[in-house]
Amino acid sequence: MNRSARRVLLRLFLLALPLVVLTLFATSLLTNSNVDSVHNHNALTFASEDRLVPPCGNQLPLEIVPPPAAPSLPHEELQKQLQQLKQVISQLEDRLRLQDGMAAAVAGIGVVGDSDNNVPCSSKYIQKQIEQSEIEKGKKWHNEYEIIPHSLFTLQAFYSTETGMGRRVVERPIGSRRQDLQEAVSSALSVLNNNRDAIMPQTATNTKNKRYVASDFVEGLYRLDPIEGTQYELWFNHQQQPAAPSTDNHSKRSNLVRVSLLRPHAPLVAVRLEQPLQLELPIVNIIVPLSGRLSAFESFLTRFQKNVLTAGQGRVHLTVVFFGDQHWDEIQREMLTFEKNNGFSNFHLLNINTTFSRARGLQVGVEHWESSPIEEDVLVFLCDVDVAFDSSFIERCRRNAQPKRQAYFPIVFSQYNPNVTRRYTHHREDSVIPALHKDYGFWRDFGFGMVCTYRSDFLNLGGFHGGDETTGWGGEDLFLYRKYIRSTLRVIRAPDKNIFHLWHPKKCPSTLGPVQRRACLQSRGRNEASYDQLALLLFSVDGQSHHVSESEI
């Protein structure tokens, strides 16, 4: 090393020495105490301070916004120098993480993150998302439909405009949402406690060693943006010297400190690539339980012939499980005529001379396949006679169900009462498949009766065995769905645009149990019409009453 190089290194050392001294002095001032334990029944729970999740690095220098009329602090010059020192150190750490992350990405091992929790931190991609985030600056939108609303949440409740399956206005945060919000509050606590010297008045001796804890959290806003990531705005009670009690609500609100967080989306990562297998398509065994309802079964066969067989869909099998002996001869003749006219002989007709039970009918239909000379395992589609589907759904059933891996529970589009909708819409009487429109029906997200799963997985989980011996309608679909989601099988749950539940009169006899009858009545109410159409029926429009007769319901 020549003399000029040594001279440069010496100058750099002399310049860095004051910064190191200031850092040691600042560290000695920041003495930490243990975090108070917090326990909330039926609420988010938090671990001890050493396990709080810090935010992912400091991709950008943390912006600390002081109150409008902040009192002057002692040692003001020292505080300013410490703040500048923190920003310099933060920028240097970001550059080091960025270099390490880019080098690791090139080497094919991912982005290096913090050693404590292995969370991916700095990268050019994430920094760009943070800089463009709406948290930093507002955006211009074309209309009101582009705005993604925030959800309000506290430690005990989550308030969302997306009611989901439960139709709840307020609900407890559970599952992955609970874990997400817990991590957000924990990260915000780390930010507050790591920056107490900038947000706490140093003259208050009672707050010198006090730290922010989960009980200081007041409320927050949550929003998931598909481009930027998950945004959080969290408010905490500001810890300062206690003042005289005030009844002014505005004074209380000004005593809150806000932390803005962003969980940016990482770059897309390829996880799995499946090449098409050069094998024959698996057989789909469509199982339909039936009791009486000869005309409904004739309509089902007509749709099956037009939408599935005529479309060239092969490798399908139909199993009909019929209850009772009334109309049994007609059902047999109908199937023989269907076989003769369409050349379709891949069907089984099973008869159970007992009271109708959808769960038992489906169980018998699945188990009967073992006596078939075709392959032992088969893809089964648990269906109803009032369901319309086409060949595109059959293909999606094959794609989304895999043996010993996953099952498909499609969300069916449920049709409203045509006797009501035709009064206010241009109802297509000749359409075999109804239109996807809010005036014609709704997504039946509370129903789990349509299932595409392999026979071996169904039997390994016990099928409908183990539940209540129910008859008639209701409850068996949720019982089976819970078996699947509590197993190691992956469940695909999504709206399917090629399967429809056709409207039919629904009877809820008093012989049903109280839980079943309540569910039946609720389902009947949802299936009649939309809120707007029901309102037009209930109230007279233009002086005319739009009454629907009992026979039309």
Side-chain angles (χ1 to χ4, degrees):
M1 183 181 296
N2 55 28
R3 181 177 299 177
S4 60
R6 287 198 297 267
R7 189 175 300 169
V8 171
L9 291 176
L10 180 60
R11 288 180 179 177
L12 292 176
F13 175 77
L14 293 178
L15 289 174
L17 183 60
L19 298 178
V20 174
V21 174
L22 288 174
T23 302
L24 296 175
F25 178 72
T27 305
S28 63
L29 293 177
L30 301 175
T31 57
N32 300 333
S33 62
N34 293 332
V35 177
D36 301 335
S37 61
V38 178
H39 178 72
N40 263 317
H41 182 63
N42 289 338
L44 301 178
T45 57
F46 297 87
S48 58
E49 173 63 21
D50 58 347
R51 297 185 61 186
L52 289 180
V53 181
C56 185
N58 278 324
Q59 290 86 357
L60 293 178
L62 180 65
E63 180 184 4
I64 302 177
V65 182
S72 59
L73 299 175
H75 312 293
E76 184 175 356
E77 187 64 22
L78 179 60
Q79 295 289 337
K80 184 177 180 180
Q81 293 178 0
L82 289 176
Q83 187 65 23
Q84 293 176 353
L85 176 61
K86 285 184 176 181
Q87 293 181 359
V88 172
I89 294 175
S90 174
Q91 294 175 359
L92 292 175
E93 289 178 346
D94 284 341
R95 290 180 182 178
L96 290 175
R97 289 194 183 97
L98 180 58
Q99 294 175 358
D100 294 341
M102 295 302 293
V106 172
I109 59 175
V111 180
V112 178
D114 294 341
S115 58
D116 294 338
N117 50 11
N118 197 27
V119 178
C121 287
S122 298
S123 69
K124 291 182 180 179
Y125 185 91
I126 296 179
Q127 283 193 349
K128 183 179 179 181
Q129 282 187 300
I130 296 175
E131 292 170 357
Q132 296 179 350
S133 170
E134 195 182 5
I135 294 179
E136 292 294 322
K137 55 185 178 181
K139 290 185 178 181
K140 293 183 179 180
W141 306 99
H142 293 88
N143 53 56
E144 65 275 14
Y145 297 103
E146 293 185 349
I147 302 297
I148 302 176
H150 288 80
S151 296
L152 179 70
F153 70 94
T154 65
L155 290 180
Q156 294 85 8
F158 188 84
Y159 306 83
S160 175
T161 56
E162 299 178 0
T163 55
M165 187 186 70
R167 302 291 193 271
R168 297 183 179 92
V169 178
V170 55
E171 59 184 88
R172 282 179 50 206
I174 59 176
S176 58
R177 175 172 290 168
R178 175 182 180 275
Q179 183 179 356
D180 179 31
L181 298 180
Q182 172 182 332
E183 184 176 353
V185 177
S186 298
S187 299
L189 289 174
S190 297
V191 172
L192 292 173
N193 291 323
N194 291 336
N195 296 274
R196 286 184 305 160
D197 56 339
I199 60 178
M200 284 188 178
Q202 300 299 315
T203 55
T205 57
N206 65 314
T207 62
K208 183 177 180 180
N209 297 323
K210 193 173 182 181
R211 300 176 64 83
Y212 285 91
V213 293
S215 58
D216 295 320
F217 175 65
V218 178
E219 66 182 29
L221 293 178
Y222 164 94
R223 181 170 70 171
L224 178 60
D225 189 291
I227 300 299
E228 299 175 0
T230 310
Q231 304 172 3
Y232 309 87
E233 303 282 342
L234 302 100
W235 282 268
F236 295 82
N237 284 318
H238 186 34
Q239 296 180 357
Q240 61 182 9
Q241 191 171 2
S246 174
T247 58
D248 187 4
N249 291 332
H250 297 285
S251 299
K252 294 180 181 179
R253 293 292 294 181
S254 63
N255 196 31
L256 299 178
V257 57
R258 182 176 69 174
V259 179
S260 299
L261 300 175
L262 174 68
R263 188 196 299 274
H265 293 311
L268 296 176
V269 178
V271 177
R272 187 181 180 92
L273 176 61
E274 294 184 2
Q275 297 181 356
L277 299 178
Q278 301 300 324
L279 299 176
E280 196 172 15
L281 291 175
I283 295 177
V284 179
N285 183 21
I286 305 169
I287 304 177
V288 180
L290 185 64
S291 177
R293 305 193 62 191
L294 180 60
S295 60
F297 183 64
E298 292 174 350
S299 300
F300 175 86
L301 291 179
T302 301
R303 296 191 302 269
F304 181 70
Q305 185 274 334
K306 181 178 181 179
N307 300 326
V308 179
L309 299 182
T310 304
Q313 185 61 246
R315 306 275 294 174
V316 290
H317 194 94
L318 180 62
T319 299
V320 180
V321 183
F322 189 81
F323 285 81
D325 53 4
Q326 188 178 8
H327 301 300
W328 171 242
D329 294 335
E330 291 91 330
I331 292 293
Q332 289 179 304
R333 284 196 296 269
E334 185 68 28
M335 284 303 306
L336 292 176
T337 303
F338 185 81
E339 177 184 10
K340 180 179 179 180
N341 294 337
N342 300 281
F344 180 79
S345 59
N346 299 328
F347 64 89
H348 283 148
L349 278 178
L350 307 178
N351 181 245
I352 303 177
N353 192 12
T354 185
T355 306
F356 175 77
S357 170
R358 183 177 185 271
R360 185 176 180 184
L362 294 174
Q363 185 76 34
V364 170
V366 174
E367 293 176 349
H368 179 75
W369 188 259
E370 62 183 358
S371 62
S372 173
I374 320 176
E375 56 254 42
E376 180 179 355
D377 201 6
V378 66
L379 176 58
V380 297
F381 169 41
L382 309 185
C383 186
D384 284 336
V385 72
D386 298 302
V387 169
F389 55 90
D390 59 12
S391 60
S392 297
F393 168 76
I394 297 296
E395 291 300 323
R396 195 174 292 114
C397 181
R398 289 191 175 105
R399 290 198 301 265
N400 291 329
Q402 300 178 12
K404 298 179 176 59
R405 178 174 174 82
Q406 66 186 33
Y408 182 43
F409 284 76
I411 299 178
V412 179
F413 189 79
S414 190
Q415 184 188 28
Y416 287 139
N417 186 348
N419 297 316
V420 177
T421 58
R422 70 165 59 99
R423 296 169 179 263
Y424 311 108
T425 59
H426 299 289
H427 188 71
R428 298 183 300 177
E429 297 289 347
D430 57 342
S431 175
V432 179
I433 298 295
L436 283 173
H437 193 276
K438 65 181 182 66
D439 291 333
Y440 293 116
F442 64 100
W443 291 112
R444 199 182 186 91
D445 57 353
F446 56 86
F448 309 94
M450 307 302 108
V451 188
C452 290
T453 182
Y454 273 83
R455 178 178 180 273
S456 58
D457 295 331
F458 178 89
L459 297 179
N460 289 335
L461 292 178
F464 293 100
H465 293 312
D468 297 334
E469 292 296 330
T470 58
T471 59
W473 179 92
E476 79 290 334
D477 55 344
L478 180 58
F479 173 77
L480 182 67
Y481 183 69
R482 286 175 175 173
K483 277 193 172 184
Y484 273 86
I485 63 175
R486 291 169 181 172
S487 70
T488 58
L489 292 173
R490 184 185 182 207
V491 172
I492 302 297
R493 178 79 170 154
D496 195 305
K497 63 185 181 68
N498 297 103
I499 182 170
F500 301 83
H501 181 272
L502 304 180
W503 182 89
H504 61 90
K506 185 179 293 293
K507 304 298 181 181
C508 301
S510 58
T511 55
L512 293 174
V515 177
Q516 280 185 283
R517 191 167 191 270
R518 179 181 179 88
C520 179
L521 292 173
Q522 289 175 342
S523 178
R524 177 180 175 180
R526 294 191 187 103
N527 290 335
E528 287 303 311
S530 65
Y531 291 144
D532 295 340
Q533 294 164 350
L534 289 175
L536 293 176
L537 286 175
L538 180 62
F539 305 106
S540 60
V541 180
D542 298 331
Q544 298 179 359
S545 176
H546 296 262
H547 177 70
V548 180
S549 63
E550 181 67 23
S551 60
E552 295 178 304
I553 300 178

